[in-house]
Amino acid sequence: MAANISQVFLINDTANETYVDTLGYNQAESIIISAFLVAIIVGTIVGNILVCVAVCLVRKLRRPCNYLLVSLAVSDLCVAILVMPMAMFYEIKGRWIFGDIVCNLWVSFDVLSCTASILNLCMISVDRYYAITKPLEYGVKRTPRRMILWVILVWCFAACISLPPLLIIGNEHSEIEESGERNNEVCLVSQDFGYQLYATMCSFYIPLTVMMVVYYKIFRAARRIVNEEKRAQSHLESHCYLEISVKNGGGPPENKISSQSPSPANPARVNHRSSSASTNTMNCITKDRMLFVHLRFVLRSVDGKS
């Protein structure tokens, strides 16, 4: 009888050890990881909801260029609501416990929302590039209908990447472990080589390359605009100084100031020169301010304020 009881306890201990090994985390580690992941999920949900609410409520933010930002926030919100909670349970448990149908939906939402998020970032970079390099021409073409069309194209392309495993190829619900046993509590996206190549290229590597090239061109264009504005400003300042100097009779600034001192013999001439110098100064300041209109328009068009 004692031997049987010992064998029962030994079997239970072995089962518990096997369960802990399969689980991967003990109770304390599971609590800490769960709290950390829940904080990330809640922060992601709250942050993206605030972005959507801000664009909807603030009139200055209801611009066509911010439609892509709202689409990006919606895609990240889908990740936080539809993907991350089940991924947290999958990570903590070490096995899939929700069934094959939920697995297919979860994997499809995962690929769809993540791909849409990356493609939205890519489209935002292209939008900023055209807003900086062609502010006047692109500012007219950036209509709400066109931006909505861009958002629809982003989500349609993301659907073209996420739907083939769900409708045609199928996802992975089991795998062979290192011990040679088959594990039927697995939920993975389709491991087909052709689909993996297609999905990784279209949802990551190609958008990444586009963003790197576009942001490099944005950097070069912005640096060129700043250098041109600095050269133009220095040229205008020197031109205004020479023009005022000639109108005042030439000479250094000290002589110009002394020449403008009141004289009882000819006060009208002094007043005429002073008013002429003031007018020339105002004209130069106006030219100098108008010179920066283009740069301000470019920067505001990027932020949606143009």
Side-chain angles (χ1 to χ4, degrees):
M1 184 67 179
N4 292 333
I5 293 175
S6 301
Q7 290 178 359
V8 170
F9 281 110
L10 182 61
I11 292 173
N12 291 333
D13 292 338
T14 305
N16 291 332
E17 291 177 359
T18 305
Y19 177 73
V20 171
D21 292 338
T22 304
L23 182 63
Y25 303 104
N26 55 34
Q27 186 175 3
E29 292 174 345
S30 300
I31 294 174
I32 295 173
I33 294 174
S34 299
F36 180 72
L37 294 178
V38 168
I40 294 176
I41 293 172
V42 173
T44 305
I45 293 174
V46 173
N48 288 285
I49 288 177
L50 290 178
V51 171
C52 297
V53 171
V55 175
C56 292
L57 296 182
V58 180
R59 181 175 299 177
K60 292 183 179 180
L61 296 179
R62 290 199 294 265
R63 304 288 183 177
C65 62
N66 290 329
Y67 291 177
L68 288 171
L69 293 178
V70 175
S71 178
L72 176 62
V74 170
S75 62
D76 293 339
L77 193 61
C78 291
V79 173
I81 296 176
L82 301 175
V83 178
M84 295 177 69
M86 292 186 180
M88 181 184 66
F89 283 108
Y90 192 17
E91 177 67 23
I92 297 298
K93 293 291 184 181
R95 54 195 178 91
W96 184 257
I97 59 176
F98 300 105
D100 295 345
I101 297 177
V102 179
C103 173
N104 291 329
L105 295 176
W106 177 68
V107 169
S108 298
F109 281 125
D110 187 7
V111 178
L112 174 67
S113 53
C114 293
T115 303
S117 179
I118 296 173
L119 294 179
N120 278 312
L121 289 173
C122 183
M123 295 302 291
I124 289 172
S125 66
V126 175
D127 176 73
R128 290 178 176 176
Y129 171 73
Y130 283 114
I132 289 178
T133 56
K134 300 178 180 179
L136 299 178
E137 180 182 353
Y138 185 68
V140 177
K141 295 181 179 180
R142 188 196 268 174
T143 59
R145 181 177 299 178
R146 178 164 297 185
M147 300 307 294
I148 291 174
L149 179 61
W150 279 34
V151 172
I152 293 174
L153 289 177
V154 165
W155 285 93
C156 288
F157 193 74
C160 292
I161 297 176
S162 63
L163 290 179
L166 180 64
L167 301 178
I168 302 173
I169 304 174
N171 296 306
E172 302 293 333
H173 304 290
S174 63
E175 65 177 357
I176 300 176
E177 298 179 349
E178 297 180 356
S179 60
E181 298 180 356
R182 178 173 292 274
N183 184 8
N184 294 322
E185 296 180 333
V186 175
C187 182
L188 297 173
V189 71
S190 176
Q191 301 298 305
D192 182 74
F193 178 77
Y195 173 75
Q196 287 289 324
L197 181 63
Y198 162 71
T200 53
M201 291 297 294
C202 295
S203 64
F204 182 76
Y205 289 107
I206 293 177
L208 176 63
T209 305
V210 172
M211 284 189 286
M212 291 177 64
V213 173
V214 167
Y215 276 117
Y216 175 71
K217 290 185 177 181
I218 289 174
F219 170 74
R220 292 186 58 184
R223 186 175 60 180
R224 184 177 66 252
I225 291 173
V226 171
N227 292 334
E228 290 177 357
E229 296 296 341
K230 288 182 179 179
R231 287 196 298 267
Q233 182 182 7
S234 61
H235 175 72
L236 276 180
E237 289 177 353
S238 61
H239 176 71
C240 292
Y241 177 80
L242 291 176
E243 184 178 358
I244 295 172
S245 177
V246 171
K247 293 295 179 65
N248 288 335
E254 293 79 4
N255 294 336
K256 289 187 291 182
I257 294 175
S258 61
S259 64
Q260 294 178 5
S261 59
S263 174
N266 196 0
R269 184 177 180 182
V270 173
N271 293 333
H272 175 71
R273 286 185 178 181
S274 300
S275 62
S276 177
S278 300
T279 304
N280 292 327
T281 304
M282 293 301 297
N283 290 334
C284 291
I285 293 174
T286 303
K287 293 178 183 178
D288 192 24
R289 292 183 63 184
M290 291 179 63
L291 184 63
F292 290 94
V293 170
H294 175 72
L295 181 59
R296 291 178 180 176
F297 181 82
V298 168
L299 296 177
R300 290 182 180 180
S301 63
V302 175
D303 294 333
K305 299 179 180 179
S306 58

